[in-house]
Structures are given as C-alpha cells and as structure tokens.
Amino acid sequence: QVQLVESGGGLVQAGGSLRLSCAASGRTAAMGWFRQAPGQEREFVAAITWSGGSTYYADSVKGRFTISRDNAKKTVYLQMNSLKPEDTAVYFCAADPRSRQYSNKFEYLSWGQGTQVTVSS
C-alpha cells in the first residue's frame, strides 16, 4: 500500500475555489476523492484512471469539480469551483481500487488522512 498525503484544504466563502492535492509515496493505479461531513457516511466525489483518460464524478459536483493527475509527481488534484456550504467536509484521497467500481469506497486499498474544507455562506 502507498502512503497518501492530502493538502490544500481550508476555509473559503461560498462561490470560491480551492485546489486539493494528494501526494503518493509510490506509483498508483486509479485514484479517487471522497468526502465525509459530520454525522454522514463517506461519499464518492470523483475518480480518475491511471492514464487520466477517464474521469468520474458524483452528480453533486459535476460541472464544478475537476480531478486530474500528474504521474511524474505522483500527485492527484481536485479543483473545486463554485463551492457551496454543502461541500463542507473532510476530503480524503484514495488509491488502487480492486475493481472498476470507482465510486465504491470499500474497493480502495489506500487512504490519506484527510483535509478539512469549510465553505461559509
């Protein structure tokens, strides 16, 4: 399993933007972003294949968030625009799903520690 370290979280006003980064200690296959609000289940946000050729998004973030990766830097990014208060959560990156069920959190082998994103109204 690889080690994953997220960064880039913070406090932003509604309508603002943030870019999250997730640095991996080694090579990874597909990677994903999930988020968890207080008292809620961890939910899928976005995923990207190793090549970056395919990306997947939750309906709630389509058109606002963009996932990308730089394999040379072993880093995946989540650009978040037009943020809403309901986007407030701890954001986790995950790597190496055991199947192509990229939205299924139980498929991922490695997880980061999370970074807090807070969107004020």
Side-chain angles (χ1 to χ4, degrees), residues 6-121:
E6 301 98 334
S7 61
L11 174 64
V12 64
Q13 289 189 332
S17 298
L18 282 174
R19 189 176 83 152
L20 305 183
S21 299
C22 174
S25 61
R27 294 179 68 180
T28 59
M31 296 187 72
W33 285 97
F34 290 76
R35 65 187 182 187
Q36 188 168 18
Q40 302 294 318
E41 294 282 328
R42 190 171 299 189
E43 65 175 8
F44 172 72
V45 175
I48 187 167
T49 55
W50 177 86
S51 67
S54 295
T55 56
Y56 307 86
Y57 296 94
D59 288 343
S60 59
V61 307
K62 276 181 184 175
R64 300 188 298 123
F65 290 10
T66 302
I67 188 171
S68 62
R69 66 188 296 164
D70 183 335
N71 287 337
K73 295 182 178 179
K74 300 175 188 174
T75 300
V76 66
Y77 305 97
L78 186 68
Q79 177 66 45
M80 306 186 294
N81 298 330
S82 302
L83 283 161
K84 305 175 181 179
E86 51 262 45
D87 294 317
T88 295
V90 178
Y91 283 69
F92 298 88
C93 74
D96 300 331
R98 290 172 289 191
S99 72
R100 293 183 180 179
Q101 298 180 45
Y102 299 126
S103 63
N104 186 342
K105 59 183 179 286
F106 298 110
E107 292 294 309
Y108 287 81
L109 297 178
S110 300
W111 288 87
Q113 81 290 346
T115 186
Q116 177 70 47
V117 171
T118 303
V119 184
S120 63
S121 57

